Amino acid sequence: MKEKLLGEQGFEKYYAEIFGARWEKLKAALLQESEGVPFNADTKTYFLDSASILAALTLPLDGAKKILDMCAAPGGKTLVLARRMEHDAELFSNELSFERKCRLERVVSEHLFPDVKERVKITCGDGALLCKKQDALYDAILLDAPCSSERHVLSSPTHLRQWSPARVRSLAVRQWSLLSSAFRILKSGGFLLYSTCAISNEENSNIAKRLLEKFEGKVRAVKSDEIKIIQESNAKKFPELFSAIEFPSFEENEFGFSVLPDAQKNSGPIYFFLAEKL
């Protein structure tokens, strides 16, 4: 009978099998408190992990008039997108939870100038169902999907006791439902950025791979050399926002890219994958 991986011991074994000798160093970094960097949006500073800002910089917005942040709360990435979008663009920031949607509204209200804030439309609903209600409307979509958030699990004895691989598999199902919905409501020629703060392939590269296989011929994965050009170009467009931020480097996975805290001065973890709809 196959050994059940449950609780703290199961968590330890599961991730040690993924990362091998690197796991102890990575776990030590995950146990350290993450310190955000100041992002000076408009009226107030918002503290955000530099790896999260880097991910939000990866989504191309040139010419994008309708932008979707599908799972937007608490709102840090929405602020980055809102400040980057063109003056005639609209950002639709969606959140499933009403409580988290209220927090998102406060963040947007407190941090953005009125002329930017009025072009951020906040909604409350299930992103996985948007494809049943909308056509291909959006020029650019950010999906920062709900995930295992291993850094949080490690810091919470309760969550660590409750951990199981079934939780990872359940989240992967949810992530795929969101990603496939996002792809369907993306316009041809548009870009979709999928990101998580998880560290397992099951929630990251495997989800990206499934998108490429499901929509073969209709999607392309943006490669690392183009990713770097996009990030650097977008940062240079807004020196007042990004010039003071020391961005981490990313490492390439089979599908997508990761920033892991053991290698990047405690930035991350973040995984991101950029796809273009053909």
Side-chain angles (χ1 to χ4, degrees):
M1 183 180 294
K2 190 174 180 179
E3 179 185 3
K4 289 185 178 181
L5 302 176
L6 301 173
E8 183 174 359
Q9 289 185 335
F11 182 95
E12 180 73 22
K13 186 170 183 179
Y14 182 88
Y15 289 99
E17 288 177 355
I18 295 174
F19 290 98
R22 183 179 183 178
W23 172 238
E24 288 303 320
K25 183 180 177 183
L26 176 56
K27 181 174 68 171
L30 290 168
L31 283 166
Q32 295 178 28
E33 186 174 352
S34 177
E35 295 183 5
V37 299
F39 176 69
N40 298 311
D42 281 331
T43 61
K44 189 177 179 181
T45 298
Y46 189 92
F47 286 85
L48 193 61
D49 191 299
S50 58
S52 294
I53 301 175
L54 183 70
L57 267 178
T58 306
L59 182 65
L61 297 183
D62 291 346
K65 303 308 177 188
K66 287 189 179 294
I67 305 158
L68 173 65
D69 188 352
M70 184 177 269
C71 301
K77 293 185 181 70
T78 274
L79 295 181
V80 177
L81 296 179
R83 289 293 279 109
R84 288 184 50 224
M85 68 179 175
E86 296 177 353
H87 294 296
D88 57 348
E90 290 182 306
L91 171 60
F92 297 83
S93 293
N94 180 71
E95 177 55 44
L96 174 62
S97 160
F98 178 77
E99 181 179 349
R100 286 169 59 83
K101 177 246 187 187
C102 292
R103 181 180 177 187
L104 173 64
E105 287 176 328
R106 289 194 298 272
V107 167
V108 168
S109 177
E110 292 174 0
H111 290 82
L112 295 175
F113 286 143
D115 62 319
V116 179
K117 183 168 52 181
E118 69 183 8
R119 291 183 288 115
V120 179
K121 315 298 182 183
I122 298 176
T123 59
C124 186
D126 187 347
L129 300 179
L130 289 179
C131 63
K132 296 183 178 181
K133 304 174 183 178
Q134 301 177 354
D135 296 319
L137 293 175
Y138 300 100
D139 303 294
I141 298 176
L142 167 62
L143 169 57
D144 188 35
C147 69
S148 286
S149 186
E150 289 89 352
R151 182 166 228 158
H152 175 68
V153 172
L154 274 170
S155 67
S156 168
T158 299
H159 285 91
L160 195 55
R161 284 194 304 271
Q162 295 173 346
W163 182 89
S164 75
R167 173 65 172 160
V168 177
R169 292 192 295 270
S170 176
L171 283 163
V173 170
R174 175 66 175 157
Q175 289 152 357
W176 170 246
S177 69
L178 289 164
L179 184 60
S180 58
S181 176
F183 188 78
R184 287 180 168 89
I185 59 176
L186 180 69
K187 290 181 180 179
S188 294
F191 289 91
L192 168 57
L193 183 74
Y194 173 73
S195 68
T196 79
C197 58
I199 61 175
S200 71
N201 288 336
E202 193 159 355
E203 297 182 53
N204 294 334
S205 283
N206 290 2
I207 304 296
K209 179 182 179 182
R210 187 172 177 181
L211 183 78
L212 296 173
E213 292 177 344
K214 172 72 175 179
F215 298 100
E216 185 178 1
K218 298 179 181 180
V219 61
R220 78 171 182 99
V222 181
K223 303 300 183 183
S224 61
D225 54 348
E226 190 177 348
I227 291 284
K228 291 175 183 177
I229 292 170
I230 290 169
Q231 290 172 341
E232 290 171 3
S233 174
N234 287 336
K236 287 178 180 178
K237 286 179 184 177
F238 301 93
E240 73 280 11
L241 296 176
F242 304 115
S243 61
I245 298 174
E246 182 181 352
F247 287 110
S249 299
F250 59 77
E251 51 193 87
E252 192 164 355
N253 308 135
E254 183 181 7
F255 299 94
F257 311 91
S258 293
V259 177
L260 294 175
D262 62 322
Q264 297 299 323
K265 299 179 181 179
N266 212 26
S267 292
I270 197 85
Y271 166 86
F272 60 92
F273 167 77
L274 181 64
E276 180 182 11
K277 188 172 183 177
L278 303 177

